[in-house]
């Protein structure tokens, strides 16, 4: 085999070096572009309670991304290091707790709601809370840790122990968020479930609401806070402002939410 002349070898080595350098420079430019686009740009990220889905999606300012789940699950994610820009909860306890832990700013109460008994549309088996005590009735409620579940148990405690125990004995499903309760009732998997009135209004005619006595209604208030270290603090504050007086406030009213409690 004939050896290449030394000058040819040197020329080939130089060409290879130039190719490697060009490739390295190209990689550096690509990485730099990706880093820039993934920095302070991008969407405002809002982690919100499932019951807010209809209203928030109707409101949705430009450049906003939503993550809906149970309020307790979203709070747990923030404690584990997830950093959305905003946390909107179906209660005030969770935002207040995260604020005390230094994970979110001072919470703002922006809406109120009330509980009803949801039944499949057209059903007339359940007409009052007393009907839920009948043997053989099947009920879905939220789990103890999610706001709808805590509100439900608070409501039941005001009925007295006999009625409360009879209703809880008929519970067949403890759901991780109110969407789970809505789904079980809408599918006919259970006879009834405790949900927010806004969930019935947003169910597209699949559910009917049975009103509950005012004397047992819990106070249902929604809190929102800017997450510490949010990438878009100005956009986050503008989103909150819109919920209090603007397009967001109108979307909440249209979905059946009530104004935040006075004081």
């Amino acid at each position: 085999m004939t050896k290449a002349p030394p000058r040819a070898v040197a020329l080939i080595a130089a060409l290879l070096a130039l190719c490697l350098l060009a490739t390295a420079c190209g990689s550096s430019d690509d990485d730099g572009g990706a880093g820039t686009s993934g920095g302070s740009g991008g969407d405002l990220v809002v982690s919100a309670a499932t019951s807010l889905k209809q209203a928030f999606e109707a409101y949705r300012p430009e450049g906003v991304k939503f993550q809906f789940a149970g309020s307790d699950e979203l709070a747990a994610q923030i404690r584990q290091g997830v950093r959305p820009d905003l946390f909107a909860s179906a209660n005030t306890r969770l935002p207040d707790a995260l604020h005390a832990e230094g994970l979110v700013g001072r919470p703002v109460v922006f809406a109120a709601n009330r509980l009803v008994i949801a039944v499949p549309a057209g059903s007339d088996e359940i007409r009052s809370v007393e009907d839920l005590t009948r043997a053989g009735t099947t009920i879905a409620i939220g789990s103890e840790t999610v706001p709808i579940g805590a509100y439900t148990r608070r409501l039941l405690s005001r009925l007295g122990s006999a009625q409360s125990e009879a209703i809880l004995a008929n519970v067949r499903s403890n759901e991780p968020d109110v969407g789970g309760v809505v789904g079980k009732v809408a599918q006919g998997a259970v006879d009834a479930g405790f949900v927010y009135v806004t969930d019935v209004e947003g169910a597209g005619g699949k559910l009917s609401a049975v009103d509950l006595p005012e004397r047992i209604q819990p106070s249902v208030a929604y809190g929102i806070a800017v997450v510490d270290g949010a990438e878009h603090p100005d956009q986050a504050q503008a989103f909150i402002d819109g919920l209090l007086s603007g397009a967001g406030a109108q979307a909440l009213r249209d979905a059946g939410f009530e104004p935040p409690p006075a004081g």
Side-chain angles (χ1 to χ4, degrees):
M1 185 174 180
T2 305
K3 280 189 174 184
R7 287 186 63 187
V9 172
L11 180 59
I12 292 169
L15 288 171
L16 286 172
L18 286 171
C19 289
L20 290 171
L21 180 60
T23 304
C25 289
S27 298
S28 178
D29 289 342
D30 291 343
D31 292 345
T36 301
S37 64
S40 59
D43 294 331
L44 177 79
V45 180
V46 181
S47 288
T50 301
S51 55
L52 291 164
K53 191 174 193 295
Q54 181 186 8
F56 273 20
E57 288 187 338
Y59 171 33
R60 191 190 290 271
E62 186 178 352
V64 175
K65 177 181 178 182
F66 295 120
Q67 299 170 339
F68 296 103
S71 300
D72 59 330
E73 179 183 341
L74 297 173
Q77 290 174 2
I78 292 172
R79 287 186 171 109
Q80 291 163 5
V82 175
R83 286 292 176 269
D85 295 289
L86 282 167
F87 170 53
S89 173
N91 64 12
T92 56
R93 181 183 62 81
L94 287 167
D96 285 345
L98 292 179
H99 177 60
E101 295 165 29
L103 295 173
V104 303
R106 186 172 298 281
V108 174
V109 179
F110 67 95
N113 214 334
R114 59 190 176 88
L115 267 64
V116 295
I117 301 168
V119 297
S123 172
D124 60 358
E125 292 183 14
I126 306 297
R127 298 183 178 184
S128 70
V129 69
E130 287 78 15
D131 291 339
L132 297 179
T133 65
R134 291 197 304 254
T137 301
T138 57
I139 304 169
I141 63 175
S143 64
E144 291 185 44
T145 57
V146 74
I148 187 63
Y151 290 134
T152 297
R153 287 164 176 79
R154 194 177 308 161
L155 180 153
L156 293 177
S157 70
R158 296 173 179 175
L159 289 172
S161 59
Q163 271 192 316
S164 177
E165 289 171 11
I167 292 172
L168 288 172
N170 286 333
V171 171
R172 296 294 178 268
S173 177
N174 283 272
E175 297 296 320
D177 60 30
V178 72
V181 181
V182 169
K184 283 287 195 299
V185 179
Q187 294 161 15
V190 294
D191 298 318
F194 288 92
V195 302
Y196 305 112
V197 66
T198 51
D199 296 308
V200 175
E201 294 186 18
K206 295 179 181 178
L207 302 177
S208 296
V210 176
D211 289 329
L212 292 159
E214 199 61 38
R215 64 182 176 81
I216 64 172
Q217 277 283 355
S219 176
V220 179
Y222 285 63
I224 189 168
V226 180
V227 177
D228 187 54
E231 289 193 14
H232 310 91
D234 293 338
Q235 284 177 264
Q237 187 57 55
F239 186 95
I240 294 174
D241 292 343
L243 293 176
L244 298 176
S245 59
Q250 186 59 53
L252 288 165
R253 301 297 91 79
D254 291 346
F257 286 88
E258 299 173 2

